[in-house]
Amino acid sequence: MAVRKITEYPEKVLGEVGKPVTEFDGELAELCADMFDTMYDAEGVGLAAPQIGLNLRLFVMDCDGIKLIAANPEIVHTEGEQSGQEGCLSIGKVPAVVVRPMKATLRAQNEKGDWFEQEAEGYAARAFMHETDHCDGKLFIDHLPKLRQKMVVKRFNKEKNWK
Ligand SMILES: [Zn+2]
């Protein structure tokens, strides 16, 4: 069990497309355990590998009753639309409203390498998409209009300087 350091915007790894997970062994299970520890410590609902500095397609999540490990995640279906607050542990949880689909179906592998599909709605669907984006080197602010994106980054930098 270990809490790892969270990488923060604009560290390069956050903008990189992750490499596929190929080894489903004890090392991966340990890494996932560390990711859960790190996520809970930071009071987040999801954490992707690039957020602890690893260029890997992997995330963990515990949101709205859905707790899972997702290796090589893809969003295979979306439906509807929702508008709601979103934040990211790598950008100091500064919130902004992001429009996303209301429902999403995630396809991924668990820590043993077995493929599964999981549907979610609302906040958990948002988490699926936010974390899968991380694996593609994308941040939630990439979904915002330029001006709002700048405002989030500005506030994040300001709050960081106060610490
Ligand atoms: Zn995030």
Side-chain angles (χ1 to χ4, degrees):
M1 276 196 20
V3 172
R4 308 247 191 139
K5 189 179 174 285
I6 293 180
T7 48
E8 291 187 321
Y9 180 84
E11 281 187 58
K12 197 167 151 262
V13 67
L14 293 170
E16 290 173 350
V17 175
K19 294 195 182 96
V21 175
T22 52
E23 302 290 329
F24 295 87
D25 52 12
E27 211 174 297
L28 181 71
E30 223 169 89
L31 171 61
C32 291
D34 282 2
M35 286 171 68
F36 274 118
D37 288 346
T38 307
M39 181 188 84
Y40 291 131
D41 181 68
E43 293 174 1
V45 296
L47 185 85
Q51 295 184 276
I52 53 164
L54 300 173
N55 181 26
L56 261 186
R57 305 186 71 77
L58 176 70
F59 74 75
V60 300
M61 149 179 164
D62 188 352
C63 176
D64 255 3
I66 299 180
K67 182 179 176 182
L68 53 78
I69 288 167
N72 304 320
E74 315 167 48
I75 301 296
V76 291
H77 181 75
T78 59
E79 219 179 294
E81 194 180 286
Q82 62 171 317
S83 177
Q85 293 258 3
E86 203 166 316
C88 181
L89 295 178
S90 294
I91 316 176
K93 295 186 190 166
V94 175
V97 171
V98 184
V99 178
R100 300 231 191 222
M102 179 53 108
K103 290 183 185 177
T105 306
L106 172 77
R107 183 173 184 268
Q109 285 168 285
N110 66 16
E111 72 280 13
K112 291 176 195 141
D114 301 323
W115 286 96
F116 65 91
E117 278 193 13
Q118 170 88 49
E119 277 178 43
E121 209 180 319
Y123 195 38
R126 184 175 285 284
F128 279 177
M129 293 179 271
H130 180 115
E131 300 310 329
T132 301
D133 273 355
H134 271 303
C135 299
D136 290 320
K138 243 190 189 174
L139 296 171
F140 85 102
I141 54 171
D142 296 328
H143 293 278
L144 299 175
K146 279 279 171 282
L147 189 66
R148 294 181 54 86
Q149 194 179 112
K150 270 189 195 153
M151 282 168 62
V152 170
V153 171
K154 206 172 154 188
R155 200 174 135 197
F156 167 57
N157 287 328
K158 219 181 197 176
E159 287 179 7
K160 216 164 63 170
N161 291 336
W162 287 342
K163 277 177 203 161

